[in-house]
Structure formats: structure tokens, C-alpha cells
Amino acid sequence: MTRFGAGVLFFLAGCWSYPAPRPGPPAPQLDTPRALCSTIVLRRKDDSTYWDHRELVDAYAGFHKMIPLSVEAELVPSQQMEKQGYKPLLGEVLLLKLRSTAVGPQAGAIGKISWRPFLIHDGTRYEPAIRREGKQILPSGNHDLARALFAKTEPKPLGPDAAERAKHSTENGTLRRDGTRQHAYDAKCVAQDTQGSCQALVPVARISPGWGPDVLGLEIEFTIGDRYDHCILTDRRTIELPTAASLEEQLQELFRKGPFRL
Amino acid sequence: MDLSFLAHTLLLVGLLGAGCASPLLSLVGENRLPEAWRAACELRSDAARDQRRGSGQDSDGLEANERAAIRQAVMSQTRGTFVARALSREALHRRLGGPVFATDLLLLTTHSELTSYPGSGVTVTPRFVVRGRLLMGQTAGTDAWKLAGIEQPTEGYGPSLKPFNKLGAVADLFIAGVTLGMMDVNLRGQKNIVEPGKPGTPGTGTDLQQQALFQLGNAESATKNYERLYGGGGPGSLVEPYDVIYLVHEQRERSIPHQDALSLDATPTEPAQDSLILRLRHTADRVSNAWCNFEYDLVVPLPAGDDLASRINSLFAKGPIAVGAR
């Protein structure tokens, strides 16, 4: 036996004795809303890596499939609300009446749901126009300025009173002693233990620049679990608006077909 | 004897190899970018320490080939898009129906989306070189009032005469009474303790100027709020698009230094032709465990046109441009 032969044998013996890699811990079963929520919370930490973000995106996709929302919507003419005692909405403000319901066998996992709508149109983003939930302050002219600053298409020039109107906010409705609000619009929808059912009447107006296709969306906060043991998950879901001449027509076209899934 | 000679030769070759080949280049070559990232930061720290002691050169510790290799590796893993819309000052004033800004500028709104990148996220910051002049902007909320040449209204502190609720007023009176009762009767030393309160200022400028500037500030904070919806990660990551509103105007400087990041550019970017320069900043993540970020510039020539706003809009007329690997 040469030294070389001994070396080869020694090498082979080493290979044989090297332990086979053990299987890693089993991947977490992401088959419940709670498990997906926990994964999402873990993956969105400050020092997240690109691969954390990939898992985050996949977990959100899984969550969207697991708990879809069925949404019924209506575009309410503000004059109709004025007749009922609501303050008038000045300028380009749209009044959306939205009702969500969680569908599917996992809907019971939702303890609390809260959402606020948004729209992307003409290079701008529409958000709830009520700035303070408690005081119901409606901006009366800021949305016109936002359109002038950010709209993609050339807007009509602002009237001479636009800046003056923007200074004065419109108070709308006051809180009663029993906590209910008289003649009040909503800034968002909040419901507890309704399996995702929630209804709100929200005025929306242009706030900032917006990018991408025209969409209607909801920014949603789900609370999964009960009051003592729960996981909170923020989500954003959108549906593309059909093509039409104006935003009102786009929305009416979408709403005419009945409830849509988000 | 033979074996000993062979062992010494191998040792010598090994030592020479270790001395010559850059460990950073080896790490990049082995596709171990996180380790290379950390090593580059360590080199930078060492160089900075030597500089402080006066024994080092004015350098960040990276050789040219190391810098180029890291840049290549970072860019090859980066994919994303950037799009912007510009409005000249004249167009802005026309839309608003009156003048707002005293300084010549343009309103630039930008949007970037990343689909692949090393690190925890990438922010993309634009600037422009036009006929040798550098134009870039602060975010709209920062410098807007200065650029408009007016004073911002301020709210005063101290006693306020805002509408109050009656219950609150009664409670305030009660607390004030108790407090005064406990105080020295002659209120000695009070002037040293109680701030007299400062009235707010109404600001200068027209209503239009004030409301337009407040709206710009509101819009900027709105973009930040919705970017933060998913929390963590920060803007410029896979889950959060990055929207910014800039007021772009001429700068005194001719190039922008990489202040608190490690530059992956060989030399400062100063293109000969009119260009949009995008600065990409990669933030480190927990895998690299590095304490410095990477920055590099991408140069995109501007198309011909009458003014900068129309040239920018014509550059993005067909949609966003790609950043990173093409």
C-alpha cells in the first residue's frame, strides 16, 4: 500500500462517516388566518431582507385568497344627503356608501375590522375628506388645489375664491352625549365581531399625487382572534375601474354590476 | 526532505496568494454579497480611523476594482422602475390662477417600485444636469416656504382663546384656583417661572400662496402615510412603492457627494450632456449585518425639448424607466 492509496482510503472513510444533513425544522403551516397574520407581522420588521419581503408578499396573497371581502357600493349624490340634514360637500368631493362582508369559511376568524377607501384617478389619489373623526371637519377647497398641483390632465383654472374657501373648513355634525353622531359622514368604517361586515358613508377628495391605473381600494385593518389574544394585520386591496369618460361614470359602471370581490 | 520542501513551497504559495488576492473580490466572486458588504464597511471604517489619526489617505478604503466588482454585483441583483411628472413654475401658477413661488423651480412628483434588490430596500433620488447646471430638490415640505419667499404662519403657545367646552373651562378654573391658592400671595418669582406665552404670527404672502404650500405639505405627509401602511421595511422595498414630491431648483454645487454612504461610483458623476441622474441607495439588512449603505448613480440622457419640465415629461411619456439591471 502506497501513501497515496492510504490517503484515498482515509478520504473515503471520512466521506462515509460524515453525517448526512439533517432535515430542517418543518415549515410553518400557513393554513389559518392567524398563522398568516403572525408570519406577516414577523416578516415586516425594520431589518427585513428582500427575501422577508418576498415571503410577506406571498403571505398577503394567501390571506387575500383565504378571506376575500365582498363589497357593495353606491355613489350617493350629496344633494340627497343635504335634504336629510347633512352639510353640503363643496367642490369635487365624491360621496361613497360602502358595505363590506367577509366571505368564505374563515370569515369567523375576524374579530374586528376597520377600513377606509381610496381612489386613484387622473394621476391623483383620493382619500377620505374628513380630517378629524371627532370634529367632522371637511376640507372645503383643498381638493381643488390638490387637483391643480397634481392632476395629470390640464384642469380648469381655479376660481378666484378657491384659496379663500380652502381656509375655512366646514364642520359637519356633532357628537351627542350618548356617543352617536348626528348627521355625520364617516372617515372610516369600524366594526367588532361582525365577521367583516361594516358599512360607512365616506366623502373622498383629492389629496396627493397617485400613480398606476385607476383603482378603487380599501386600506383595511383586520384583528384576527379575540380581545385577549389577537394579531393585527394591515392590508390594502384594490379593484381596477372600468374605462369611462369621468370618475363618476367609472364608479357607476363598476357599482352597477353588483357586489365585487376585494 | 522532499516532503518538507513541498510543504514549505505550498505554504509560501498560500501565503503569497492570501496576500495578493483581495478577500473582498473573492467574496464577490463567490456570490457572497452580504459578506462582501460587511467587509467593505469594515474597510471604510478602518480607512476613516486611519484618516482621523493622520496616517491614512483621503479614501474610503476600497480599491477601484473592488468598487467596480461590488457595483456590478449590486446592480445585477437590482430591478425596478422609476417614473416622474413635472410641472414648470409658469404652468403651476397658470393652474393655480396666481403666483406662489418667487424662485424659478419645477414641481416634480416621482414614483419608484422595486422588484428585486440586495439589502432591505432601495430609495431612488433624482437630480438633473442641464447645460452644466445642477438642479435638484428638497422634498416639498422642507423648503417650500423659503422658495416661495414668504413666512409661514405660526400658532402661538401660551394662553389660547380658542373655543372651549364648558365642562373643561370649569375644571380649568378649579385647578387654577387651587394652584393660585397654594402659591405665594405676592407671586414672588413668578416672572421667572411662568413663560409669558408667545403670540402666533399670521405669516406673509397671499391666501393662495399659503393654502397651496399647506396643501403641498399635506400631500407629502399623505404619501408617507400610505407608504407606511404595511409597516417595517420602510419605503423603497418590495412591498412599499416610494413616492416623493420635490421642488427642483438650481444648486450652487456641481456634484452631490455621498455623505453617509459608501460610494460605488469610481468618480463623481458629471455627465457632459443634459441628463437625469438617479441616485440609488441600498440600505443594509440583518443578513449583511453591515453598518453602511451603498450608493451609486445611474445617468439617463434627457430628450431634446423647450424647457426642463417638458423634457422630463417626454422622457416618461411611454411609461416608467428601468433602474438596476436592464
Side-chain angles (χ1 to χ4, degrees), chain B residues 213-276:
Chain B
L213 296 174
F214 275 128
Q215 184 59 38
L216 270 176
N218 287 345
E220 184 167 275
S221 45
T223 58
K224 287 203 176 86
N225 284 343
Y226 68 77
E227 277 163 10
R228 299 280 176 194
L229 176 71
Y230 289 112
S237 69
L238 187 64
V239 285
E240 296 294 357
Y242 184 49
D243 287 9
V244 191
I245 305 166
Y246 295 99
L247 291 169
V248 174
H249 55 102
E250 189 173 350
Q251 306 289 317
R252 282 186 200 151
E253 300 85 9
R254 286 290 164 262
S255 66
I256 302 296
H258 301 269
Q259 284 181 340
D260 53 348
L262 188 55
S263 168
L264 300 184
D265 295 323
T267 52
T269 311
E270 288 173 9
Q273 59 178 325
D274 293 356
S275 307
L276 157 67

Side-chain angles (χ1 to χ4, degrees), chain A residues 3 43-54 56-57 60 64 122-125 127 131 135 142-159 162-164 166-167 177 206-212 218-220 234-237, chain B residues 3 83-85 87 91-92 94-97 101 107 109-111 113-121 163 167 207-209 211-212 214-216 218-220 222-223 225-234 237-241 243-245 284-287:
Chain A
R3 281 186 199 167
R43 292 288 171 266
R44 62 183 186 198
K45 293 203 167 164
D46 281 341
D47 59 351
S48 301
T49 66
Y50 166 74
W51 296 105
D52 293 325
H53 292 148
R54 272 253 74 96
L56 190 57
V57 169
Y60 268 116
H64 291 176
D122 187 26
T124 48
R125 189 180 162 96
E127 300 249 9
R131 284 184 293 182
K135 289 198 171 179
N142 294 37
H143 41 274
D144 296 336
L145 290 171
R147 182 181 58 174
L149 289 167
F150 306 120
K152 213 185 319 181
T153 54
E154 191 68 32
K156 291 177 213 158
L158 291 176
E164 185 60 32
K167 273 168 71 178
R177 271 185 188 281
R206 295 187 209 234
I207 300 287
S208 58
W211 297 90
L218 291 183
E219 284 171 358
I220 317 166
T234 44
D235 197 2
R236 187 187 292 142
R237 299 185 184 185
Chain B
L3 267 179
V83 63
R85 216 165 41 226
L87 204 57
L92 187 65
R94 197 174 53 245
R95 279 180 169 209
L96 290 168
F101 291 105
L107 176 68
T109 56
T110 67
H111 174 85
E113 287 184 23
L114 280 300
T115 52
S116 166
Y117 47 85
S120 66
L167 259 178
D207 284 347
L208 178 69
Q209 283 179 307
Q211 294 307 317
F214 275 128
Q215 184 59 38
L216 270 176
N218 287 345
E220 184 167 275
T223 58
N225 284 343
Y226 68 77
E227 277 163 10
R228 299 280 176 194
L229 176 71
Y230 289 112
S237 69
L238 187 64
V239 285
E240 296 294 357
D243 287 9
V244 191
I245 305 166
D285 59 23
R286 67 162 190 279
V287 174

